[in-house]
Amino acid sequence: MDILDRYRRQVVFRGIGAEGQARLARARATIVGVGALGTAIANSLVRAGFGFVRLVDSDRVEESNLQRQMLFDEDDAAAGRFKVEAAASRLARINSATALEPRVLRVDASNVEGLVGDVDVVLDGSDNFDVRYAMNDACGRLGVPWIYGGVLGDSGVTMNVMPRDGPCLRCLMPEAPEPGSFATPETIGVLNQITAVIGSIEAVEAMKIVLGSPGPRRSLLSISLWDTSFQEITIEPSASCPICGLRR
Ligand SMILES: [Zn+2]
């Protein structure tokens, strides 16, 4: 395979070039949650030529996933395949040069360090706050950048969390909200277009972080597609944050 030919539309792009493409081929990422956001992210990173992608999720594909989870099909749902296995088999056909590590695992504070410690960047494809706080704290301790993302209805948010500099998720919300205190996709729904938008932003931010592009965005980006509204919200690192405050 001629790498420069395969990626020529990326290599000619001013932010990447041949050197950047070679760096992407060595880049390592973990995607936590391989549902709507996670499949959009994985599709993007693997097509862009990331060298290693770890996929972590414990769920199986269901028919109601197909409206928005872009790597799965009706056969995966009928067979009840694990999402990470269905995704890995599809991704392997898209780009055989990416090393894929599917892990059927429910992420929690006890296992998260083993999933995020050996990669360049961690991407949030999860749908629950306990997992996000576990990622936030482990990545903060280990000095790994991670990218928060969440979607609901037509709306989504995303924020880069850079180790040592913050702000992090605990600067934004010190503790995870109580389950039941917030709306969920089960009641509000979720449009596949918002998962594609937020997943694409997470993926391009991961590329910029890997390539060392200057000044990764620190603001919280909030998007509502039905109202066509885009907002950037400045979040200050909190002195009382147990992750960021200690470093100040
Ligand atoms: Zn913080």
Side-chain angles (χ1 to χ4, degrees), residues 56 84 163 234 236:
V56 192
V84 293
T234 303
E236 295 296 340

Side-chain angles (χ1 to χ4, degrees), residues 136 161 166-172 236-238 241-245:
N136 185 73
V161 179
C168 77
L169 193 58
R170 288 193 188 277
C171 298
L172 183 65
E236 295 296 340
S238 164
C241 171
I243 305 298
C244 306

Side-chain angles (χ1 to χ4, degrees), residues 141-160:
R141 277 195 299 273
L142 298 171
V144 180
W146 77 281
I147 305 174
Y148 164 49
V151 292
L152 189 65
D154 67 319
S155 302
V157 292
T158 179
M159 183 172 85
N160 299 331

Side-chain angles (χ1 to χ4, degrees), residues 46-232:
V46 168
R47 286 186 192 274
F50 266 57
F52 171 86
V53 176
R54 177 179 290 131
L55 305 160
V56 192
D57 199 303
S58 61
D59 289 344
R60 294 174 185 270
V61 181
E62 296 174 12
E63 197 176 25
S64 65
N65 300 151
L66 302 180
Q67 166 256 347
R68 66 199 176 286
Q69 303 190 11
M70 65 162 68
L71 293 173
F72 308 137
D73 60 27
E74 292 178 359
D75 289 345
D76 296 322
R81 300 180 76 193
F82 281 112
K83 289 183 177 182
V84 293
E85 288 172 359
S89 102
R90 174 97 181 97
L91 292 164
R93 294 199 300 278
I94 291 168
N95 192 345
S96 57
T98 300
L100 298 162
E101 186 186 294
R103 300 283 295 272
V104 178
L105 194 63
R106 186 174 292 277
V107 175
D108 60 31
S110 74
N111 60 24
V112 67
E113 287 198 0
L115 301 167
V116 303
D118 60 347
V119 295
D120 300 302
V121 61
V122 177
L123 296 103
D124 179 15
S126 75
D127 58 1
N128 89 73
F129 280 104
D130 289 341
V131 170
R132 292 187 181 116
Y133 280 81
M135 266 193 281
N136 185 73
D137 296 352
C139 287
R141 277 195 299 273
L142 298 171
V144 180
W146 77 281
I147 305 174
Y148 164 49
V151 292
L152 189 65
D154 67 319
S155 302
V157 292
T158 179
M159 183 172 85
N160 299 331
V161 179
M162 302 305 289
R164 285 175 267 282
D165 295 338
C168 77
L169 193 58
R170 288 193 188 277
C171 298
L172 183 65
M173 296 177 283
E175 299 292 336
E178 289 292 320
S181 69
F182 50 91
T184 67
E186 283 72 39
T187 53
I188 304 287
V190 62
L191 298 186
N192 67 30
Q193 293 85 1
I194 191 65
T195 55
V197 168
I198 296 293
S200 293
I201 293 172
E202 287 192 55
V204 78
E205 293 297 323
M207 286 173 68
K208 286 155 63 178
I209 288 168
V210 164
L211 296 175
S213 297
R217 181 173 44 75
R218 301 300 169 83
S219 55
L220 179 77
L221 197 58
S222 172
I223 298 175
S224 295
L225 293 181
W226 214 252
D227 307 326
T228 325
S229 124
F230 296 75
Q231 254 189 304
E232 252 191 295

